[in-house]
Amino acid sequence: MLAMYGRTWAVFLGGILLLQVLQLAVGLDNGLALKPPMGWMSWERFRCLTDCQLYPDECISEKLFSRHADLLVSEGYAAAGYEYVIIDDCWLEKNRDNDTQKLVPDKKRFPSGLNALSDHIHEKGLKFGLYQDYGTNTCAGYPGVIKHMQLDAQTFADWDVDYVKLDGCYANISDMATGYPEFGRLLNETGRPMVYSCSWPAYQEDAGEMPDYESLKKHCNLWRNWDDIDDSLESLMQIMDYFAKNQDRIQPHGGPGHWNDPDMLLLGNYGLSYDQSRLQMAIWAIMAAPLIMSNDLAAVRPEIKDILQNRAVIAVDQDELGIQGRRVLSRNQIEVWQRPITPVAKSGHHSYAVAFVSRRDDGAPYRIPFTVKELGLTNPKGYRVQDLYNARNKLGVFQSESQFITRVNPNGVTFYKFTAL
């Protein structure tokens, strides 16, 4: 009897193991990125600067990434949750190794090799990210993964990579819906956990094709939906408008392990004012977006650093429910964006993060009233309200019929947490 029970139990466990293997073969299911990834990436700020004689502190090199790993820790960003150091394009030699066909880091700019850089990043308690492209070439013309996908996936694992961004230049868009999942499967097969950032929706949308978000959720941890962000308010607003206008088809698919990605944070660069920097940080938190900085951390001004490390705003972005927010209202060029977050009241009513975004440029802060009910908040017990950019500013308790008044700077934001009572 015991022997029979043991055999039955072994068969049962074997079946469970087989199901798990089949899941890995069919979908990504890697258990990673249960909250939006946070970190630092080179592209928006440092682009494809490769002349290290002319730009010794800015060129894409092991020095740049080692320095930023150090700064993430010493400047308090790692303690705030920023953990990935991600190399974007232009890190490669122009040709693969003749004998092995492996990818080769630029020998002049990465003389120690990527294992040494990966070791340094990991010794800092951080994680290492790397860029490649599902095409014959990367966007800047370096070798892509096509015809070498299994080799490249294993090479990334051998380099102890923790995060892979796969772009889509020089590729057939019609192949992406099968090729991207295949590369994700190959990453999984290496046995090394690697967050997988896909780009195929951005290329499909540009070509007028509708992305298959159900497939994306199965095969990618995050994905770029639309255009690259540039260092300007105009670019930021265009991305916000894209997500707002398409939110009915995009928003439901973001969540733990699979996130919509509106692209990098611009804070700390040249294009955004202080108020505009607060605006991007607030809306990225509302959208449950990855918080990936791209700046020179050594040059970030203290007031911008305070925004990037604002624990209350980061907590909204990293909220455990993982529900992406929406733009719910626009009045007099003031937009209302809100996101359900924890804690959830016993009645089942969520707390909310609510951002009021000014699209006005008329020179003075604009005062505007709303009832709490107009904001989409209907908890009969009411809400305790706190200013997320000023922890000392606790505004009291508001009922659904209460009037809530805010005053927003031109091209700025006010950002509040409404805690359900």
Side-chain angles (χ1 to χ4, degrees), residues 50-294:
T50 57
D51 189 333
C52 292
Q53 288 190 323
L54 195 58
Y55 306 108
D57 296 325
E58 298 176 76
C59 68
I60 303 303
S61 64
E62 64 182 41
K63 176 183 175 182
L64 178 72
F65 296 97
S66 178
R67 177 167 70 90
H68 276 82
D70 296 345
L71 287 165
L72 279 173
V73 175
S74 65
E75 294 298 313
Y77 294 96
Y82 296 92
E83 61 176 342
Y84 291 96
V85 178
I86 306 166
I87 302 176
D88 209 281
D89 206 346
C90 307
W91 58 274
L92 283 160
E93 288 281 344
K94 285 290 187 178
N95 296 294
R96 291 174 175 269
D97 183 273
N98 284 332
D99 297 324
T100 66
Q101 289 301 298
K102 288 185 177 181
L103 296 166
V104 181
D106 186 279
K107 295 175 183 177
K108 292 183 179 178
R109 293 182 282 114
F110 293 86
S112 305
L114 290 193
N115 278 116
L117 178 59
S118 176
D119 288 345
H120 178 78
I121 290 168
H122 289 139
E123 286 165 5
K124 292 289 180 179
L126 304 171
K127 295 178 180 178
F128 177 40
L130 194 58
Y131 166 103
Q132 244 298 346
D133 189 288
Y134 178 69
T136 55
N137 297 92
T138 72
C139 295
Y142 297 86
V145 302
I146 287 293
K147 298 182 180 179
H148 300 90
M149 292 204 296
Q150 185 171 16
L151 175 63
D152 290 353
Q154 186 57 53
T155 300
F156 291 170
D158 294 341
W159 285 335
D160 294 330
V161 172
D162 305 295
Y163 178 116
V164 175
K165 173 185 173 181
L166 195 65
D167 212 335
C169 288
Y170 301 103
N172 292 323
I173 294 174
S174 59
D175 294 338
M176 290 182 175
T178 55
Y180 270 89
E182 172 66 6
F183 193 67
R185 183 185 68 80
L186 292 168
L187 290 175
N188 249 15
E189 281 190 351
T190 68
R192 180 169 182 80
M194 288 181 266
V195 171
Y196 186 31
S197 172
C198 299
S199 301
W200 96 71
Y203 288 89
Q204 286 182 323
E205 295 243 356
D206 192 50
E209 298 182 16
M210 191 65 66
D212 182 350
Y213 283 99
E214 290 302 324
S215 178
L216 279 159
K217 286 154 61 175
K218 291 178 182 177
H219 299 293
C220 304
N221 294 119
L222 62 156
W223 51 83
R224 284 284 312 286
N225 302 76
W226 199 54
D227 231 354
D228 286 358
I229 198 166
D230 288 319
D231 195 7
S232 71
L233 178 64
E234 179 185 16
S235 177
L236 170 60
M237 291 297 193
Q238 287 172 348
I239 289 173
M240 287 171 53
D241 285 342
Y242 167 83
F243 275 86
K245 291 174 182 176
N246 296 283
Q247 61 189 10
D248 288 344
R249 67 180 177 87
I250 291 175
Q251 182 269 347
H253 301 295
H258 44 86
W259 307 100
N260 293 298
D261 181 6
D263 211 1
M264 292 163 278
L265 292 169
L266 298 173
L267 288 79
N269 293 314
Y270 308 105
L272 299 186
S273 69
Y274 173 74
D275 281 294
Q276 294 160 2
S277 297
R278 286 170 36 127
L279 188 160
Q280 186 186 17
M281 192 72 178
I283 297 305
W284 261 230
I286 288 283
M287 291 198 293
L291 298 181
I292 306 295
M293 301 179 290
S294 186

Side-chain angles (χ1 to χ4, degrees), residues 364-407:
Y366 190 80
R367 180 183 184 274
I368 188 166
F370 296 92
T371 64
V372 172
K373 190 175 183 180
E374 285 179 308
L375 306 177
L377 281 61
T378 57
N379 180 25
K381 298 289 187 181
Y383 301 85
R384 181 176 291 109
V385 182
Q386 178 181 346
D387 187 334
L388 290 170
Y389 277 125
N390 183 356
R392 297 178 182 177
N393 190 14
K394 295 177 173 61
L395 304 178
V397 174
F398 290 76
Q399 304 299 324
S400 60
E401 299 299 332
S402 301
Q403 187 177 71
F404 184 83
I405 299 171
T406 190
R407 192 165 183 243

Side-chain angles (χ1 to χ4, degrees), residues 308-385:
L308 287 166
Q309 296 188 15
N310 183 306
R311 297 298 207 280
V313 175
I314 290 172
V316 171
D317 180 81
Q318 300 285 294
D319 185 77
E320 64 188 42
L321 298 179
I323 302 172
Q324 183 173 327
R326 291 172 172 256
R327 185 172 70 186
V328 296
L329 185 62
S330 182
R331 180 186 300 166
N332 298 346
Q333 294 182 277
I334 302 294
E335 298 176 354
V336 180
W337 295 66
Q338 52 105 303
R339 176 185 176 185
I341 58 173
T342 54
V344 180
K346 292 181 180 178
S347 62
H349 288 84
H350 289 86
S351 300
Y352 283 85
V354 183
F356 300 87
V357 175
S358 175
R359 305 296 285 258
R360 304 176 67 91
D361 57 7
D362 47 3
Y366 190 80
R367 180 183 184 274
I368 188 166
F370 296 92
T371 64
V372 172
K373 190 175 183 180
E374 285 179 308
L375 306 177
L377 281 61
T378 57
N379 180 25
K381 298 289 187 181
Y383 301 85
R384 181 176 291 109
V385 182

